Amino acid sequence: TKKRAKRLDRNIENLKRKDERKKKDDIPLGINVAALNMIYDPQTFAEKLFHKLEKCNDRLEIRLLLLELISHLIGLHQLLLLNFYPSLQRFLRPQQREITRLLLFAAQASHDQVPPDAILPLVRTITDNFVTDRASAEAITVGLNTIREICSRCPYAVDADLLSDLVQYKSYRNKNVEI
């Protein structure tokens, strides 16, 4: 009957869509972590990449790619590249393009081996630029989520004064903004 034929056609189309989605999901996205694990001397490699980033006058996209690779290396191998955090700090402004990626790089590059003196200015910059009363609710949410992720990776990233300031956002009028 016509009804069975339509149902059969619909089921065939659904199966084709599922196969296409599965093929898209099989394509690897992002950075190959296995390749990063096999790097012979990740500390030297990260230092060379950072030196190249410092001298680089290329477009923002090229700098972002270098920052992404360096932050992955730092987070994966728990490297100490203390100059990375102040250089990342320069880019952290709410009006910056690709700011969510930059905040992601800040969170990825934090680990428990990083001294609090190195990462505390970065967290303060995020707090000053994003978690303020004059910022939008979305900016506050993004800033708090980034600080939460940094603190989960590096527990001593926040001092007592900053923590008391951040706790005040517990009862903020917008429910998206919560600690």
Side-chain angles (χ1 to χ4, degrees):
T1 63
K2 285 186 176 182
K3 188 174 184 179
R4 285 185 186 167
K6 286 182 182 180
R7 186 181 302 157
L8 181 64
D9 290 340
R10 229 180 300 133
N11 289 337
I12 290 172
E13 288 177 19
N14 286 337
L15 285 174
K16 286 181 183 177
R17 279 193 216 119
K18 285 182 183 178
D19 287 340
E20 289 174 7
R21 286 186 203 137
K22 191 174 184 180
K23 287 179 184 176
K24 286 181 183 178
D25 290 342
D26 290 343
I27 297 172
L29 298 174
I31 291 187
N32 188 356
V33 177
L36 288 180
N37 280 331
M38 291 197 270
I39 291 177
Y40 175 68
D41 188 10
Q43 180 72 36
T44 308
F45 183 58
E47 287 173 0
K48 287 180 181 178
L49 283 174
F50 182 69
H51 185 65
K52 182 174 177 127
L53 177 70
E54 291 285 307
K55 294 191 313 184
C56 173
N57 287 332
D58 293 333
R59 297 187 333 251
L60 179 66
E61 290 82 17
I62 306 297
R63 288 182 184 180
L64 286 177
L65 290 174
L66 279 171
L67 282 170
E68 183 176 15
L69 182 57
I70 294 169
S71 69
H72 274 290
L73 281 171
I74 291 172
L76 186 65
H77 295 285
Q78 294 192 349
L79 305 176
L80 289 178
L81 196 62
L82 300 180
N83 292 336
F84 177 75
Y85 303 103
S87 69
L88 186 62
Q89 198 172 334
R90 292 181 301 169
F91 294 107
L92 296 180
R93 288 177 183 75
Q95 64 272 12
Q96 176 75 40
R97 286 186 340 191
E98 304 282 342
I99 188 62
T100 53
R101 282 183 67 194
L102 288 165
L103 292 170
L104 173 71
F105 302 157
Q108 283 177 345
S110 60
H111 53 82
D112 56 350
Q113 302 297 322
V114 178
D117 298 339
I119 204 161
L120 184 63
L122 178 73
V123 175
R124 264 212 201 278
T125 302
I126 293 171
T127 305
D128 293 343
N129 290 339
F130 293 92
V131 188
T132 59
D133 291 334
R134 62 184 180 275
S136 67
E138 292 85 16
I140 295 173
T141 304
V142 169
L144 285 174
N145 287 339
T146 304
I147 292 171
R148 182 184 310 128
E149 185 63 31
I150 289 173
C151 288
S152 71
R153 294 171 184 245
C154 181
Y156 299 111
V158 178
D159 60 354
D161 296 334
L162 187 59
L163 186 62
S164 65
D165 291 343
L166 292 175
V167 168
Q168 292 175 356
Y169 285 93
K170 185 178 179 183
S171 60
Y172 193 71
R173 64 182 175 264
N174 191 338
K175 288 301 174 187
N176 288 335
V177 180
E178 285 184 358
I179 295 281

